[in-house]
Amino acid sequence: MHIAFPLRSNGYLLSDAANRLGALEPSDPAEEMNALRERFRAQGVLWLKGLLDRKSVLAFRRRYFEAMQDTGLLAAGSDPVDGIFSGAAEQRGKTNTYEVVRWAAYEAFCLSEPIWRFYEAFLDGAVYLHKRKIIRLGKPGQTRCTGAHYDLTYLRGGTDHLCTSWIPIGDCTVAMGGLIYLEGSDAFGRVKEAEFSQLNAHLPPEARMSAYNENMSRSGWLTEDLPALADRLDTRWLTANYEAGDMVVHSPYMIHASTENVSPDQRMRLSTDIRYQLVSERIDPRWAKDWTPDDGL
Ligand SMILES: O=C(O)CCC(=O)C(=O)O
């Protein structure tokens, strides 16, 4: 995929010219389940095109931005479903994202039938949705991005047989700073986690599980320097133009990050990331509460 503009993440530039960028491969959710499982095992990620009903996803995007109207987030006169940023500093409004994650409407969205039915088939059993579910808003001009990490860092108290769903709530072009994946990095994530397990072995149980213990970085991230990591592993960051209705599934070892939103029309990136696993397997008890800013995860 040729990208005609610089992709920046926490101050680091990812350039097409350095051959460190590639395109994420889409998958059809109607494909045979064993083929999807095999691709997931080999690549650590599955970008499922159109798994969800596009209209329902857009209805939730509208609902979210309508609820934020009084914060001044939206450009005056714009349609909330477009999520056009006003450029103004956010005011305190009647609601905020930490309340939205407790909405029944959001819970219903995360539990929508195509999602749990997919996981029941994919994982081959009854599934559980982690209570701690995150909604992220990416405003144009915001320079803070998600650094390179794999999810198990934050989920060491349960099974590693779990899947993250990253769901764009609305279309999310590369320019809007959607999730990017480090090609082939599931294997590297496993090696890193085995190293951390050894380093953490002498720590008390709570610290051993923590993403922020003495052996980890302050954020739990591997690095913010995405180009250096791609150079080191001689691989590429995979980008995609996601659409409302898509769902990306990634393994807890797959390394991912995000880039700045440079949308020319000031469109905000809204997404959610939620985790499913078999109900019969160990569930990290720290994830059994709604997401709050001070939950220490
Ligand atoms: O959306 C983001 O920026 C980060 C999401 C993430 O880390 C995840 O889906 O696990």
Side-chain angles (χ1 to χ4, degrees):
M1 176 194 290
H2 173 66
I3 296 169
F5 47 86
L7 274 186
R8 204 179 296 272
S9 183
N10 294 311
Y12 293 95
L13 207 61
L14 276 167
S15 91
D16 211 6
N19 292 328
R20 293 297 178 212
L21 286 176
L24 190 65
E25 182 194 342
S27 289
D28 178 350
E31 236 180 286
E32 217 261 307
M33 200 41 89
N34 277 334
L36 292 176
R37 287 199 194 104
E38 182 47 37
R39 190 164 313 135
F40 183 73
R41 202 199 51 71
Q43 300 182 354
V45 58
L46 274 183
W47 170 21
L48 298 172
K49 289 296 304 167
L51 177 81
L52 305 170
D53 175 49
R54 178 177 171 84
K55 278 207 192 105
S56 311
V57 176
L58 292 176
F60 189 76
R61 181 175 172 91
R62 173 180 293 285
R63 183 185 272 264
Y64 177 91
F65 283 120
E66 275 176 357
M68 297 296 162
Q69 286 269 25
D70 63 349
T71 63
L73 189 65
L74 296 179
S78 62
D79 185 341
V81 76
D82 293 331
I84 306 295
F85 184 40
S86 64
E90 223 170 308
Q91 310 290 312
R92 229 186 144 79
K94 280 200 287 293
T95 190
N96 61 49
T97 299
Y98 297 106
E99 189 178 289
V100 175
V101 295
R102 293 190 286 120
W103 283 357
Y106 171 63
E107 184 118 300
F109 178 80
C110 297
L111 282 167
S112 60
E113 196 164 336
I115 305 181
W116 66 258
R117 279 206 186 279
F118 169 78
Y119 279 121
E120 276 204 351
F122 187 67
L123 298 173
D124 195 18
V127 292
Y128 171 80
L129 169 65
H130 286 232
K131 178 95 173 152
R132 186 171 187 270
K133 305 184 283 307
I134 300 172
I135 295 185
R136 301 183 206 246
L137 184 67
K139 295 181 205 161
Q142 189 177 295
T143 53
R144 198 74 187 136
C145 300
T146 303
H149 71 280
Y150 57 89
D151 289 357
L152 199 74
T153 313
Y154 308 93
L155 282 144
R156 290 181 172 137
T159 178
D160 69 349
H161 189 212
L162 76 109
C163 294
T164 295
S165 277
W166 185 84
I167 305 173
I169 305 175
D171 295 342
C172 181
T173 61
V174 176
M176 287 167 69
L179 223 57
I180 60 174
Y181 289 92
L182 191 62
E183 190 174 29
S185 63
D186 179 271
F188 178 71
R190 286 172 200 270
V191 170
K192 281 311 290 179
E193 187 56 14
E195 281 172 21
F196 285 131
S197 295
Q198 279 203 333
L199 290 170
N200 296 340
H202 72 285
L203 297 173
E206 206 176 305
R208 200 182 308 150
M209 274 196 294
S210 170
Y212 314 104
N213 68 35
E214 62 191 40
N215 298 313
M216 310 291 300
S217 72
R218 273 182 51 196
S219 55
W221 294 341
L222 296 170
T223 182
E224 292 180 6
D225 189 344
L226 307 188
L229 186 59
D231 283 344
R232 190 174 139 210
L233 301 184
D234 191 17
T235 190
R236 305 179 300 170
W237 285 97
L238 305 179
T239 64
N241 287 313
Y242 303 106
E243 293 175 292
D246 296 352
M247 178 173 97
V248 192
V249 181
H250 62 248
S251 99
Y253 296 105
M254 185 68 188
I255 296 169
H256 52 282
S258 74
T259 57
E260 275 180 34
N261 183 343
V262 292
S263 157
D265 49 7
Q266 303 296 298
R267 208 167 280 260
M268 287 181 275
R269 181 258 265 205
L270 186 67
S271 62
T272 186
D273 42 285
I274 59 176
R275 277 111 201 133
Y276 271 87
Q277 64 169 82
L278 287 174
V279 69
S280 54
E281 297 199 332
R282 183 165 161 74
I283 295 163
D284 189 330
R286 302 170 304 167
W287 282 67
K289 294 186 233 60
D290 287 312
W291 175 51
T292 58
D294 55 358
D295 64 13
L297 287 163

